[in-house]
Amino acid sequence: MRTQKQVSAPRAENSTSLAVETDFSDGLIGFCRTFRAQPLAAETVRRSTDAITDTLACMLLGTSQALEPKLRRALFSPQPLKQVLTQFAPAALRVSSTDTQGSAALYLGTLAHAADFDDISHPAYCHATALLLPALLIRGVALGVSGEDLIRAHVVGVETLGQLGRRLNTAHYERGWHTTGTFGAIGATAALAFLENFTDDQMRGALGVSASLASGVRQNFGTMTKPLHAGLAARSAILATRLAEQDFTCAPDAIEGKFGFMKVFGGTAPASYAKQWGHPLEILTETGIGLKAYPCCAATHPAIDATRRLREALKDNSVEDIESIRVGASRFAMQPLIYDLPNTGLEGKFSMRYCIASAMIDGAVKIGTFEPDQIKRPAIERLMKKITVEIDPLVADDHEFAAIVELKLKSGREESIRIDVASGKPGNWLSETLLKEKFFDCLGAERLNSQAGQVLFKAAQQLAVQKSVEALYQALVQTLGEADVS
Amino acid sequence: MRTQKQVSAPRAENSTSLAVETDFSDGLIGFCRTFRAQPLAAETVRRSTDAITDTLACMLLGTSQALEPKLRRALFSPQPLKQVLTQFAPAALRVSSTDTQGSAALYLGTLAHAADFDDISHPAYCHATALLLPALLIRGVALGVSGEDLIRAHVVGVETLGQLGRRLNTAHYERGWHTTGTFGAIGATAALAFLENFTDDQMRGALGVSASLASGVRQNFGTMTKPLHAGLAARSAILATRLAEQDFTCAPDAIEGKFGFMKVFGGTAPASYAKQWGHPLEILTETGIGLKAYPCCAATHPAIDATRRLREALKDNSVEDIESIRVGASRFAMQPLIYDLPNTGLEGKFSMRYCIASAMIDGAVKIGTFEPDQIKRPAIERLMKKITVEIDPLVADDHEFAAIVELKLKSGREESIRIDVASGKPGNWLSETLLKEKFFDCLGAERLNSQAGQVLFKAAQQLAVQKSVEALYQALVQTLGEADVS
């Protein structure tokens, strides 16, 4: 066995672990075996495909964020993006070294999470596809895998992240770990090892190395180092799998042992979190994966959904006909939404009144909604004065930020809509319209050639039937190249 | 300030930390400023120079370990060592990207700790120079620093590791962290940031990123992933400094904050560990840095030292004239020395009788002492029967493995030597003879061109007066190249 324990030092902690505990790794390996042989359900394909599509958009959005030139210069020295991307070409990737593939994964993973607009998994409390997709794409191109292979590996990654969360959260997260970095290293490694068709022993080897790569502290939230954690996890997957492929040894119980990941990164989850591997698939659970429909605080999302539907109901009436809007929110929504009347775009993202006024006037809440010149628009300021936000007894204790929005027109007409779960959450999956809207918004209409974007969107949505992921990846690299402003 | 906290998400944990706690970083920055302006004491230079010399030897020893071809193939694809080393040439390094420099650091750091024969620092409980030297050498060559610059940076690294240990150990280590990986990422980053002459803000930036890179669990002890931790720390230093150089943001209190390194990786040290930064320099303390003189369990070292001196005292007598040898050891030494009569070389490393018999017959305990064909030598087996090992009341409670070895000859003559602190420990620093003996033993007399080794040894020992570290590095690369057996 590749991961046999070497008896190089008869330390007390190793010599006592005669019966090696490997339940997590065994569960994952058993799941992989079963899952590989099963047909994919349509809903599984749908969720994975949409999450991948969404993450590609987030990567492109990442090129417009302040961290992009800094990250690029730090990793690749002062080359323009277009020149850097020559290293990302499929032909170059196939012959590139582990470090080059690792840097590519680090770059793409960090971009994907740069604007914090990418998907999230509970109870892992981590951003999933941003950390999973880069390594899968890069190695997938090098290996010539199919679209279905990539989707399956993504599902394995989401499953692994969920199972880690189910065992260690919320304690792990509350201790200060950023799960996107910690669970991420292990989840991305499991997904990549599955994609690479590793033997059971190679899978154990890769997991064991990844236990020693897991890192990321929450103190770095709110800085560029937070999205870096997603990139680091992706890079770790590439290193851990390459080492395991060479029979580089590690403890067989590096995940479960006394000084392994589970115990050292510690915590105990509530019993209610427990679930069998793959029953149901984590990605099909109500917490498995959630996409963000709007580039602002998740606590505003159900109310934005409601407002957009109310706006459609306005029909012949204009915004000027509005007498008042009342937002009935949950207690939990009030906690992060600390800006009543925002002064900056960033504050606007945490202001219910600003988000609702924008949704009503613009019909959508987009990336541009939070540009500096948008915050003080007179029409928005007028409408904000007519909006009240309060805790509504009907939704007060809801953890999903359920909201009731009531619209009163000057004519006396009243409309009210309650939304329990935001668009993009598993229970209210993103419509193709909303997904497409977000996708092209992320690409940045003015900056990017929409034709390349169209090709990318279509390739992503049709991933499951593609014999190779190369066309999708090519479209990504081309679209990234068009984002070059350096 | 480069590391200003970005207010991208008004999360409770960030918004409450109005008064940012940065004592550790402030202490380090203050120390760096003072230390840079001070002349180096001769003893500081000596210890640092010897530790660097010793670590270069350990890197070369690493090329003969089982992990080397696996690591090389995983990182650089299946190229022979000589071909890989073209990437290590100074001219290539100077234009190489962060990932290439990072992989070089990862490779050299892992080699240095591969045989577990490299130096160790307390109370950090980590292998120090193995994780510090690779990044300093690689970046030092790229930057054209002097030998003294490199020595100073090494001393800063040892200081930082010690201060981390003084704050968090033994609890941190006991929780299951491998400090070579966790403290290592921060210590190597501090040393490299010092070498690169970073501003205070850049130093904070580099430290903050390194807090998110720290990793390594003790469950992987006894496997190839343990030495990988030293390499990972070295690689982390290169990434963290390159990002900080680009003003990539992180929390200013990523080390000290509520969810920063200190609290998340937790633990509280005994008050007796506390010491001011640089007073005295950690490397000058009695625990600061210790070199291993023999390639076997540290618990045998004082007794081996004693035996070697008794052997000199034998003079005209031969080993056959020995009536008996009694080893009086400490209680602590007995714990790891679990093999009475070893059957394999590895068991021999943890057998007091075998080590003492070898020291008496061979006059030295070397790498070859533990080759499979050496264990069952008749002369050794005969002598082992005459050796008794017991706890001696005089040294029973000594934590440094103090030992008393008593030699009785058939003539009735008796000699006894007590050694309290092994050669290589700060209180009994390695003689030039022993250092040189170890150095060339690590190089492997049969396999390596001794002339290249001579050049390397001389360059390392004269490092402090060299205007550039390039000659030393060149000699290392050349000697590594001669180790090519792939």
Side-chain angles (χ1 to χ4, degrees):
Chain A
M1 175 172 149
R2 287 170 179 232
T3 50
Q4 63 191 334
K5 187 160 285 177
Q6 298 182 326
V7 195
S8 76
R11 295 171 199 274
E13 65 271 17
N14 279 351
S15 57
T16 55
S17 59
L18 293 173
V20 170
E21 199 187 314
T22 55
D23 60 325
F24 185 88
S25 311
D26 289 344
L28 170 62
I29 287 167
F31 164 70
C32 286
R33 196 178 296 128
T34 315
F35 179 64
R36 201 185 290 282
Q38 277 171 352
L40 284 175
E43 188 59 20
T44 308
V45 172
R46 172 83 195 279
R47 295 214 188 165
S48 178
T49 302
D50 285 354
I52 289 168
T53 307
D54 182 74
T55 302
L56 292 167
C58 291
M59 280 179 195
L60 287 154
L61 175 60
T63 61
S64 67
Q65 303 296 298
L67 65 66
E68 194 282 333
K70 296 175 192 291
L71 179 67
R72 172 157 42 90
R73 286 182 204 130
L75 291 180
F76 308 107
S77 47
Q79 301 171 35
L81 178 54
K82 239 174 208 157
Q83 204 172 317
V84 168
L85 289 176
T86 58
Q87 295 175 45
F88 285 64
L93 262 197
R94 272 190 284 272
V95 297
S96 66
S97 63
T98 298
D99 55 29
T100 304
Q101 294 188 358
S103 278
L106 176 56
Y107 178 71
L108 292 181
T110 306
L111 284 194
H113 187 34
D116 230 323
F117 199 11
D118 55 312
D119 63 48
I120 188 154
S121 281
H122 289 252
Y125 299 113
C126 84
H127 291 268
T129 313
L131 69 89
L132 293 171
L133 186 60
L136 296 179
L137 260 183
I138 286 162
R139 291 294 305 161
V141 167
L143 295 165
V145 307
S146 74
E148 188 184 320
D149 291 337
L150 193 139
I151 288 170
R152 279 186 186 274
H154 175 252
V155 173
V156 168
V158 174
E159 189 74 18
T160 307
L161 295 170
Q163 290 284 351
L164 287 167
R166 287 173 182 281
R167 280 162 176 77
L168 299 184
N169 270 338
T170 54
H172 173 80
Y173 186 84
E174 281 163 4
R175 265 178 60 185
W177 294 109
H178 184 203
T179 50
T180 298
T182 55
F183 294 173
I186 296 168
T189 298
L192 186 55
F194 178 87
L195 186 79
E196 306 230 6
N197 231 328
F198 271 17
T199 64
D200 294 355
D201 285 346
Q202 285 176 316
M203 174 66 92
R204 275 185 214 287
L207 287 175
V209 174
S210 77
S212 276
L213 298 174
S215 68
V217 294
R218 277 171 59 202
Q219 196 68 31
N220 276 323
F221 273 21
T223 77
M224 294 174 183
T225 303
K226 188 199 181 212
L228 186 75
H229 297 163
L232 291 169
R235 183 180 73 159
S236 292
I238 290 182
L239 180 62
T241 51
R242 300 284 63 77
L243 286 166
E245 196 175 42
Q246 295 294 333
D247 293 354
F248 197 87
T249 64
C250 62
D253 53 351
I255 301 289
E256 304 91 345
K258 185 177 174 193
F259 295 121
F261 180 82
M262 291 292 187
K263 299 227 171 63
V264 177
F265 285 78
T268 307
S272 63
Y273 277 7
K275 150 181 129 31
Q276 268 192 292
W277 283 88
H279 291 97
L281 284 176
E282 197 71 46
I283 202 170
L284 295 179
T285 65
E286 63 177 14
T287 52
I289 203 153
L291 309 184
K292 280 185 90 171
Y294 311 111
C296 46
C297 179
T300 64
H301 288 210
I304 294 173
D305 279 343
T307 304
R308 293 185 73 180
R309 282 172 56 187
L310 285 172
R311 185 177 188 268
E312 284 165 28
L314 270 183
K315 284 182 188 150
D316 299 332
N317 297 98
S318 82
V319 169
E320 297 302 325
D321 296 330
I322 293 173
E323 171 77 28
S324 67
I325 296 175
R326 174 189 174 272
V327 181
S330 67
R331 227 183 299 280
F332 304 99
M334 297 303 218
Q335 286 179 21
L337 300 178
I338 57 177
Y339 297 101
D340 190 29
L341 297 171
N343 287 308
T344 69
L346 193 50
E347 289 180 5
K349 293 186 177 192
F350 298 90
S351 165
M352 181 70 97
R353 285 169 93 184
Y354 180 73
C355 290
I356 296 310
S358 300
M360 185 55 81
I361 286 177
D362 303 332
V365 176
K366 298 193 167 197
I367 294 160
T369 305
F370 304 99
E371 290 295 311
D373 60 346
Q374 297 296 297
I375 298 298
K376 298 291 181 188
R377 282 177 286 166
I380 292 280
E381 294 205 316
R382 277 200 302 280
L383 185 54
M384 280 202 286
K385 285 181 192 150
K386 299 179 179 176
I387 299 174
T388 53
V389 183
E390 56 192 28
I391 293 169
D392 189 304
L394 289 174
V395 295
D397 294 324
D398 190 276
H399 279 75
E400 290 289 334
F401 307 126
I404 300 162
V405 181
E406 292 165 5
L407 176 70
K408 195 178 282 183
L409 295 185
K410 288 173 180 166
S411 64
R413 194 179 128 211
E414 290 185 20
E415 298 272 351
S416 167
I417 290 179
R418 170 176 169 155
I419 299 283
D420 285 304
V421 176
S423 297
K425 289 275 185 176
N428 182 17
W429 198 243
L430 218 56
S431 67
E432 197 188 334
T433 308
L434 272 180
L435 180 69
K436 205 164 185 173
E437 197 176 85
K438 174 178 174 181
F439 187 91
F440 288 98
D441 192 29
C442 283
L443 262 57
E446 296 153 24
R447 198 162 50 81
L448 293 174
N449 179 323
S450 64
Q451 205 174 347
Q454 294 283 357
V455 171
L456 180 62
F457 184 76
K458 204 171 155 194
Q461 286 286 285
Q462 295 180 346
L463 186 59
V465 295
Q466 295 189 347
K467 286 220 169 65
S468 154
V469 298
E470 187 158 325
L472 172 72
Y473 180 77
Q474 277 279 32
L476 170 67
V477 174
Q478 199 184 335
T479 322
L480 280 170
E482 287 172 358
D484 198 357
V485 288
S486 56
Chain B
M1 177 171 151
R2 290 170 177 231
T3 50
Q4 63 191 333
K5 187 160 285 179
Q6 296 182 328
V7 196
S8 76
R11 296 173 198 273
E13 66 270 18
N14 280 351
S15 55
T16 54
S17 59
L18 292 173
V20 169
E21 198 186 315
T22 55
D23 60 324
F24 185 87
S25 310
D26 288 345
L28 171 61
I29 288 166
F31 163 69
C32 286
R33 195 177 298 128
T34 313
F35 180 63
R36 202 186 291 281
Q38 278 170 351
L40 284 175
E43 188 58 21
T44 309
V45 172
R46 171 84 194 279
R47 295 215 187 164
S48 177
T49 302
D50 285 355
I52 289 168
T53 306
D54 182 75
T55 302
L56 293 167
C58 291
M59 280 180 195
L60 287 154
L61 176 60
T63 60
S64 67
Q65 303 296 298
L67 66 64
E68 194 283 334
K70 297 174 192 290
L71 178 67
R72 171 157 41 90
R73 287 181 204 129
L75 291 180
F76 307 107
S77 47
Q79 301 171 34
L81 178 54
K82 238 174 207 156
Q83 205 172 316
V84 168
L85 288 176
T86 58
Q87 296 175 44
F88 285 64
L93 263 197
R94 272 190 283 272
V95 297
S96 66
S97 63
T98 298
D99 54 29
T100 304
Q101 294 188 357
S103 278
L106 177 55
Y107 178 71
L108 293 181
T110 307
L111 285 195
H113 187 34
D116 230 323
F117 200 9
D118 54 312
D119 64 49
I120 188 153
S121 281
H122 289 254
Y125 299 114
C126 83
H127 291 268
T129 313
L131 69 90
L132 293 170
L133 185 60
L136 296 179
L137 260 184
I138 286 163
R139 292 292 307 161
V141 167
L143 295 165
V145 307
S146 73
E148 188 185 320
D149 291 337
L150 194 139
I151 288 170
R152 279 187 185 273
H154 175 252
V155 173
V156 168
V158 173
E159 189 74 18
T160 307
L161 295 169
Q163 289 285 350
L164 286 167
R166 288 174 183 280
R167 281 162 175 77
L168 300 183
N169 271 339
T170 56
H172 173 81
Y173 187 84
E174 280 162 5
R175 265 177 63 184
W177 294 110
H178 184 203
T179 50
T180 298
T182 55
F183 294 173
I186 296 168
T189 298
L192 186 54
F194 178 86
L195 186 79
E196 304 230 6
N197 232 327
F198 271 17
T199 64
D200 294 354
D201 285 346
Q202 284 176 316
M203 174 65 92
R204 274 184 214 289
L207 287 176
V209 174
S210 77
S212 275
L213 298 174
S215 68
V217 293
R218 277 172 58 202
Q219 197 68 31
N220 276 322
F221 273 22
T223 77
M224 294 174 183
T225 303
K226 188 200 179 210
L228 186 74
H229 296 164
L232 291 168
R235 184 179 72 160
S236 292
I238 289 182
L239 180 62
T241 50
R242 300 284 64 77
L243 286 166
E245 196 176 42
Q246 295 296 332
D247 292 353
F248 198 86
T249 63
C250 61
D253 52 351
I255 300 288
E256 304 91 344
K258 185 176 174 192
F259 296 120
F261 180 83
M262 291 291 186
K263 299 229 171 60
V264 176
F265 285 79
T268 306
S272 62
Y273 277 8
K275 151 181 130 29
Q276 267 191 292
W277 283 88
H279 291 98
L281 285 175
E282 197 71 47
I283 203 170
L284 295 180
T285 65
E286 63 178 15
T287 53
I289 203 153
L291 310 184
K292 279 184 91 172
Y294 311 112
C296 46
C297 179
T300 64
H301 288 208
I304 293 173
D305 278 343
T307 304
R308 292 185 73 180
R309 282 173 54 187
L310 285 173
R311 184 178 189 268
E312 284 166 28
L314 270 183
K315 286 184 186 149
D316 299 332
N317 297 98
S318 83
V319 169
E320 297 303 324
D321 297 329
I322 294 174
E323 169 78 27
S324 67
I325 297 175
R326 175 189 174 270
V327 181
S330 67
R331 227 184 298 279
F332 305 99
M334 297 305 216
Q335 287 178 19
L337 300 177
I338 57 178
Y339 297 102
D340 190 28
L341 298 172
N343 287 307
T344 68
L346 193 51
E347 288 180 7
K349 292 186 178 191
F350 297 91
S351 165
M352 181 70 97
R353 286 170 92 185
Y354 181 72
C355 290
I356 296 309
S358 300
M360 185 55 81
I361 286 177
D362 303 331
V365 176
K366 298 193 167 196
I367 294 161
T369 305
F370 304 99
E371 290 297 308
D373 61 345
Q374 298 297 296
I375 299 298
K376 299 290 181 189
R377 283 176 287 166
I380 293 280
E381 295 205 315
R382 275 199 303 279
L383 184 55
M384 281 202 287
K385 285 181 191 149
K386 299 179 180 175
I387 299 175
T388 54
V389 183
E390 56 193 26
I391 294 171
D392 189 303
L394 288 174
V395 294
D397 294 324
D398 190 276
H399 279 75
E400 291 288 334
F401 309 125
I404 300 163
V405 180
E406 293 164 5
L407 176 71
K408 194 179 279 182
L409 297 184
K410 287 173 181 166
S411 65
R413 195 181 127 209
E414 290 183 21
E415 298 271 351
S416 167
I417 290 180
R418 171 175 169 158
I419 299 281
D420 285 303
V421 176
S423 297
K425 290 275 185 175
N428 182 17
W429 198 243
L430 218 56
S431 66
E432 198 189 331
T433 308
L434 273 179
L435 180 69
K436 204 164 185 173
E437 195 176 87
K438 174 178 174 183
F439 188 90
F440 288 98
D441 192 28
C442 283
L443 262 59
E446 298 153 22
R447 197 164 49 80
L448 293 173
N449 180 323
S450 64
Q451 205 175 347
Q454 296 282 358
V455 172
L456 180 61
F457 183 78
K458 204 172 154 193
Q461 286 286 285
Q462 296 180 345
L463 187 58
V465 295
Q466 295 189 346
K467 285 221 169 63
S468 154
V469 298
E470 189 159 323
L472 172 72
Y473 180 78
Q474 279 278 33
L476 171 66
V477 174
Q478 196 183 336
T479 321
L480 279 169
E482 287 171 357
D484 198 357
V485 289
S486 58

